[in-house]
Each structure stands twice: as C-alpha cells, then as structure tokens.
Amino acid sequence: MKNILKIKKTICSILVICVFVLMTGCGKVDDAATIIKDNNTETNNIERNSLKNIEVESSTIDNGLVKGTNDLTKNVSAKTITTANKNQDMENIVAMDIVKNMKIGWNVGNTLDSTRTDITRIDAPYKFETAWGNPKVTQELIDTVLDAGFNVIRIPVSWTNHMGPEPEYQITQSWMERVQEVVDYAYKKGAYVILNVHHEDWNYPYYDNLDRACAQMEAVWKQIAEVFQDYDEHLIFEGQNEPRKVGTPLEWNGGDAEGWEVVNKTNQVFVDTVRASGGSNPYRVLMIPGYAANCTVGIQHVNVPKNDTRVIISVHAYEPYDFALNPNGRSTWNHDTTAIDKLMHDLKTLFIDKGTPVIIGEFAAMNRNNESERAQWAAYYVHAAKEIGVPCVWWDNGLFEGDGECLGLFDRHTYTCRFPKILEALMTSIKTD
C-alpha cells in the first residue's frame, strides 16, 4: 500500500511540475506556486486518510485472524485471505449432522493418489492419474457410482509430486485444476465429497521431522482451502491418510508414543490452517486420522480438537484381516464377527458416545473368486457400522485380477459393477429397518 501511495504522489508531482512549466512560460508564476502548495496539501491528506482507512478496515477482521491491531502489514495480509462465508447455513451445521446424511461411500483409489518418480511436476496431470493402470476419472464413472446408491465419494490425492520447493511448496496449477474438476463431478451432483492428502512422504511421524511436516502441512492446506473456500458443507477436507513410520516394524501395528504425538500435532496444524482461511472454511467439516488410521491401537491415541464440533475421526478397517486383506488369507468368511464387533464397540465408546462422529474411510475385502462370501461379510460389516451411526467408504483401487489387493468394485472402462451381489448387500445394509 505504501508503494502505491508513493507512486500516486510521484505522478501528482510530475503533473504539477508540467503545469508549473506551462504557466511560467505564460507569465503566471504566482498561480503555479499556489497550485503546487495546494497539491502538496491534498496529497498529504490523501496519504493520511488512506492509511487511516486501512487501519479502520483492518481492525474489523475477525474469524480468528488479526483484529484491532495497528500492524498494517499483518492486517493487509489477513484481509487478502479472508472472504465472506457464502454458505450461511453452514454456520449452524455440525459434523454429526453431516454424518447422519451419509449413506455409503466409494473411493476413487489408485488414481489421483498415484505417485511416480519418473514423471515431473510439469507433466500433464493425466500422466499421474493413469500411472497405476486406471483410466482418467470421468463424469460418467461418478454418475454410475452415484446412480448405484452411493452418496459419498472420497477422492484420495497425492500432492508431493506436484509441489515446488520450500517454503512455498507451490502446487502446480494444472494439477489443482484437475483435482477440482474431479471434485466437481460429484459435488455438483449433490454428493458428499471427501478430499484428502494421501500418499505423502513428508509427514512421517518422527520428532526430527515435526517442524518440516507442520510447515508443509500448513502450506499445502492453505492452497487447497483457498481454491475450495466457497464450497458448501458437501465438501469435507481430510488432513492426512495413514501417517505412519513407513518401512519399520511400527508401520502397521498401531505406532508408538512418538508417532501418536506427531500425528496429533500435524492434525492440529491442518485444523488450525483451514479454520484460519477464508470463505466457508471456518465452518467446514474436517476429518483427521490417528496413527496410520489404525483401527485397533491407533484409535486409542487420537486427540480430538477441543471446542470444535465440526471434526470427524477417520478410521481404516479391513476386518477381519485374514479374510479381508491378508494376501495369504482365507476365502471363506466363516461368519467371523469378532474383529468387526470389537471395532464398532471401540468406535462407539471412544468417540460417538462422546459426541464425535466417525467415518470408516476405507474398508473392503479382496476378491478370491468368492463373491457370495464377500457379500455376506459386507452386509454384516456395513449394518454393524450403521447401527452405531458410522458410514463406510469402500476402497476401490480398480484391480480385479493378479496377485495384488484386488479390491475393485466398479469397472472404470465399462461403467458397470463387476460384483452385483456385493453391491446389493451394501445397499440393503444401509436401508432403515
């Protein structure tokens, strides 16, 4: 602002000098001097009034930002990122209200969350989107899923390969635009959309990585929050996916004290960053996981942000493991409900009974040519979750064959469900008794 005022003042001075020269040439020296005097007075008044107005305007900034301060630099910066909430009804909505409206969800897995070191951040977005074997997401695909009865679409997104250097960590515009386009496929159809930060390596939960992780968490979510600030309550932000100590014995067993603490701190940075951004974000529903989104030990150590009724706990649960996800596991379910029953009990006592909602952001069972068994399992699992008010989101990675985790449900080339018995079981289980 000061630079702008200096430019204006310089321009005024140049104009006055020109007038002075012309008038002097015409013999009107006294008149020219009077004009210079009047102009200097007016310019100074304009500058004082402009600075005064900035102070007055900036002192009205609220929503947890700078308020009532004379630090003009901070206030101008705060004003830049703060815009009005265009979705006033969000101010009266809490997370539990949103969760009650969710039926069942579906993940667009192994797509926008793919990572490849041989593709650069300036490459076309489709190269990343198709890097793990799935085709580009289309409106037709999302329509197929929604028409089948799902009303929640989780969009896992990896951002690491699309960021510039620190400290800005600027996200490539073409990637952000593609992410927004896919979000809109579901959002504009009235579905709930969960947008997250997925396969990242910068948020590993170690003490010596905490400062860097927090800085990058803030930078990434500032950018995402700004782009989506005017979206209503149908868009939910999920701060992290499965933050864990990758490649160690602690990776999947629930973590340790260091891991729990660092995950809780980076979760809080995510919440604080979104809450301090503009538009509807101070009222947006947010999801946070525990260590690795673990459903046994990790959930015991999640810090729920205080005085924030718009937070959901994210849990991933492929239970029982030997049937659902173990590559060397069994193909028959055997009505083994022990792990599922314990999970629902824990979620209810740890969170739901205390007023904090939960979403099982990932669940599924591998294809072992056992559709009927999986359908029976899915029916029990989803119904048990519905009984305690927890929506479930199927992890669909687009895989149907091979030795990997074959968790595909919808064929993304033909836009058909490959396992109609499972789909029927899912939809029947969410119906009101």
Side-chain angles (χ1 to χ4, degrees), residues 75-351:
N75 278 313
V76 171
S77 176
K79 184 64 177 176
T80 300
I81 65 170
T82 306
T83 58
N85 174 26
K86 295 183 179 180
N87 304 292
Q88 296 295 316
D89 58 332
M90 287 178 66
E91 298 179 16
N92 298 315
I93 296 176
V94 298
M96 197 68 80
D97 297 331
I98 299 298
V99 169
K100 288 179 181 178
N101 291 329
M102 292 180 170
K103 298 177 182 177
I104 192 165
W106 180 81
N107 276 276
V108 194
N110 284 22
T111 308
L112 294 176
D113 56 315
S114 69
T115 58
R116 285 269 292 271
T117 57
D118 59 331
I119 306 175
T120 67
R121 63 188 295 265
I122 63 173
D123 282 326
Y126 80 88
K127 292 187 177 182
F128 284 96
E129 190 173 348
T130 60
W132 284 358
N134 281 314
K136 289 180 63 176
V137 183
T138 63
Q139 183 69 65
E140 289 81 3
L141 172 63
I142 300 302
D143 288 349
T144 297
V145 175
L146 297 180
D147 290 344
F150 296 84
N151 75 334
V152 181
I153 303 294
R154 184 170 179 255
I155 304 176
V157 180
S158 295
W159 303 88
T160 296
N161 295 126
H162 309 279
M163 296 182 202
E166 59 181 331
E168 293 83 6
Y169 299 106
Q170 187 67 42
I171 297 170
T172 308
Q173 183 176 350
S174 60
W175 183 249
M176 183 70 82
E177 289 174 350
R178 176 55 180 160
V179 171
Q180 186 173 18
E181 184 176 33
V182 176
V183 168
D184 286 346
Y185 289 159
Y187 175 82
K188 291 185 177 180
K189 290 299 182 76
Y192 290 98
V193 180
I194 300 170
L195 176 62
N196 82 347
V197 165
H198 211 76
H199 297 298
E200 315 291 355
D201 58 8
W202 48 265
N203 62 338
Y204 290 168
Y206 296 92
Y207 289 134
D208 60 6
N209 187 51
L210 179 59
D211 290 344
R212 178 177 179 270
C214 288
Q216 198 155 350
M217 182 73 71
E218 181 180 4
V220 170
W221 277 109
K222 271 186 178 180
Q223 295 175 73
I224 299 172
E226 181 179 0
V227 170
F228 293 97
Q229 63 181 326
D230 291 331
Y231 284 58
D232 67 18
E233 68 274 10
H234 287 83
L235 178 62
I236 297 166
F237 292 157
E238 181 183 20
Q240 307 184 71
N241 177 53
E242 295 170 345
R244 62 195 189 277
K245 296 185 174 183
V246 175
T248 74
L250 292 168
E251 182 170 7
W252 296 115
N253 72 355
D256 58 5
E258 178 185 44
W260 306 328
E261 184 177 358
V262 173
V263 169
N264 283 327
K265 287 185 175 180
T266 49
N267 278 341
Q268 191 63 57
V269 170
F270 156 67
V271 173
D272 292 344
T273 300
V274 175
R275 291 286 178 252
S277 60
S280 300
N281 291 325
Y283 312 99
R284 189 166 308 288
V285 171
L286 308 177
M287 288 174 64
I288 58 171
Y291 176 96
N294 179 268
C295 66
T296 54
V297 178
I299 57 173
Q300 307 287 335
H301 303 279
V302 180
N303 284 349
V304 180
K306 296 180 179 179
N307 303 317
D308 194 329
T309 58
R310 297 180 176 88
V311 173
I312 299 171
I313 303 303
S314 176
V315 176
H316 298 174
Y318 299 84
E319 299 286 3
Y321 175 73
D322 278 345
F323 174 77
L325 200 61
N326 187 346
N328 300 313
R330 63 183 190 269
S331 61
T332 56
W333 176 40
N334 300 330
H335 203 71
D336 179 8
T337 68
T338 302
I340 298 174
D341 294 342
K342 182 180 186 305
L343 170 65
M344 302 309 165
H345 173 269
D346 289 347
L347 295 180
K348 185 174 185 298
T349 55
L350 286 170
F351 305 111

